[in-house]
Amino acid sequence: MADLHSAIQSRLQAAGRVLIVSHIRPDGDAIGSMLALGLALQNSGKQVQMALSDGVPSSLKHLPGSEQIRKKSEGEFDLVVTVDCSDLKRTGSALDGRKPDIVIDHHATTDAFGTLNLVEPESVATASILTRCLPGWGFPLTAPIAANLLTGLITDTLGFRTSNVTPEVLRQAANLLALGADMSALYYRALVRRTFPGAKYWGAGLTNLALADGIVWAALTRADRKAAGYTGNDDADLINIVSSIDDAEVAIMFVEQNKTKTKISWRGLKPHVDVASIAVQFGGGGHKAAAGAEINGSLSEVQERVLAATRKTLQEK
Ligand code: 5GP
Ligand code: MN
């Protein structure tokens, strides 16, 4: 491990032009981690390009440095880093065929797809790994970096309420506050505030909410998005509401992408349930308590297959 850290440190210190990439449908940890690393490298005089296939969602545009993020990488780089990505497919088109030198991630299902792979499934967020490691690698934390890192911690722990939150995570958050991150404002923007179309879209999903065999689920169609005026292709975090419902062991959201593609989110609601193992069966991945996949097939076909596989997993327990 010490060898891995010193190898990462020397690659980062030696590089002049660095590309940083994260995953499609980026969340607060993807963007917060990318910006924290990017700003830290820029503060050391490096040229940094940051690319996200889907760009920055409007809910995260307040993060310092987010205006620098582009959709495609362009030019030559000495070093390519991915953050918060569990496999190459998750980077979308942002790498444009380049091979990652360094992978920094915290997913349980991560392939070692980089040359140097710093993967810590026990960390609550990729931002937690960076909060700990950046200063040790020679990149000091500043207030804008702290705001990005704190956002990653807040979003991946749903506001410090997931079961993997440790005293160390709260100490990290306290340090980021001391560096100038505005916890109240960042928390509110990342987890509480939503748009009117987003709330209308939730309403469409909640009308078809169902519960059977320990599974609670809801589906969102492209027509729902259009009717609500919601511009994202995600569930607008409705999964967080569906997974708050008692009497279920697993919560699932089905989000129609097009006629032949459906996005799934699973949440394990009891400690004995491992939803990453179900997501992997469908080519996806994630964590024991939160996983996802994008599956080929229409919404109704995929819904049937996913419910059957989830039911089977629960029955085997
Ligand atoms: P969400 O359901 O919020 O999209 O994702 C839950 C967790 O599963 C996150 O940690 C996310 O990175 C991971 N995840 C979501 N979709 C996919 C996917 O298609 N492939 C993989 N490997 N992981 C995914
Ligand atoms: Mn993450």
Side-chain angles (χ1 to χ4, degrees):
M1 202 66 188
D3 286 353
L4 175 63
H5 279 272
S6 56
I8 291 176
Q9 177 173 6
S10 21
R11 290 299 308 266
L12 288 172
Q13 290 290 357
R17 297 162 305 172
V18 185
L19 171 65
I20 310 172
V21 161
S22 190
H23 60 79
I24 54 171
R25 283 192 209 85
D27 54 19
D29 191 29
I31 294 179
S33 295
M34 162 179 271
L35 289 170
L37 178 60
L39 295 178
L41 294 173
Q42 283 174 348
N43 290 344
S44 299
K46 294 169 193 307
Q47 274 180 37
V48 177
Q49 204 173 98
M50 296 177 266
L52 285 173
S53 221
D54 290 337
V56 181
S58 53
S59 58
L60 292 165
K61 286 206 167 126
H62 60 284
L63 290 179
S66 69
E67 71 290 344
Q68 295 186 45
I69 297 176
R70 41 160 83 210
K71 289 197 172 172
K72 260 194 164 309
S73 50
E74 213 177 82
E76 300 286 310
F77 302 97
D78 311 319
L79 190 69
V80 177
V81 185
T82 72
V83 291
D84 204 41
C85 289
S86 49
D87 57 48
L88 217 41
K89 204 177 77 191
R90 293 273 287 160
T91 60
S93 56
L95 281 172
D96 208 13
R98 295 178 180 83
K99 188 167 171 6
D101 301 297
I102 302 177
V103 166
I104 304 173
D105 188 33
H106 72 123
H107 291 95
T109 55
T110 304
D111 299 336
F113 63 96
T115 309
L116 298 169
N117 299 281
L118 175 57
V119 181
E120 296 183 356
E122 64 284 2
S123 286
V124 293
T126 301
S128 170
I129 303 175
L130 289 172
T131 302
R132 201 185 68 240
C133 295
L134 278 175
W137 293 338
F139 303 101
L141 306 182
T142 60
I145 295 173
N148 281 299
L149 292 170
L150 186 60
T151 295
L153 296 185
I154 289 171
T155 54
D156 266 25
T157 62
L158 305 174
F160 304 107
R161 67 187 162 88
T162 52
S163 62
N164 54 1
V165 172
T166 59
E168 183 51 27
V169 174
L170 296 177
R171 269 182 219 115
Q172 287 189 342
N175 289 338
L176 297 171
L177 253 71
L179 283 164
D182 182 344
M183 166 101 131
S184 169
L186 293 167
Y187 192 114
Y188 187 73
R189 298 204 67 149
L191 290 183
V192 181
R193 223 172 91 149
R194 55 199 73 260
T195 61
F196 184 74
K200 291 280 283 180
Y201 183 49
W202 276 15
L206 287 171
T207 57
N208 62 52
L209 187 70
L211 172 68
D213 306 318
I215 307 169
V216 63
W217 74 92
L220 285 161
T221 63
R222 282 179 301 162
D224 292 332
R225 283 205 275 295
K226 196 154 176 250
Y230 183 70
T231 50
N233 62 354
D234 53 25
D235 70 349
D237 294 331
L238 181 57
I239 188 65
N240 293 339
I241 300 297
V242 174
S243 59
S244 70
I245 295 165
D246 258 343
D247 316 317
E249 293 174 272
V250 175
I252 310 178
M253 271 309 307
F254 298 92
V255 184
E256 183 182 44
Q257 299 298 301
N258 55 46
K259 279 200 181 107
T260 59
K261 240 185 199 143
T262 306
K263 164 76 210 278
I264 315 298
S265 289
W266 286 266
R267 298 293 182 264
L269 309 181
K270 299 277 150 72
H272 65 273
V273 179
D274 175 5
V275 290
S277 72
I278 312 173
V280 165
Q281 294 169 32
F282 291 96
H287 313 281
K288 189 169 176 255
E294 197 164 64
I295 305 179
N296 289 328
S298 70
L299 179 63
S300 57
E301 273 161 41
V302 168
Q303 190 162 319
E304 213 167 291
R305 281 164 54 204
V306 165
L307 287 173
T310 306
R311 218 175 277 128
K312 190 161 171 277
T313 301
L314 290 180
Q315 281 159 2
E316 281 162 3
K317 293 286 159 200

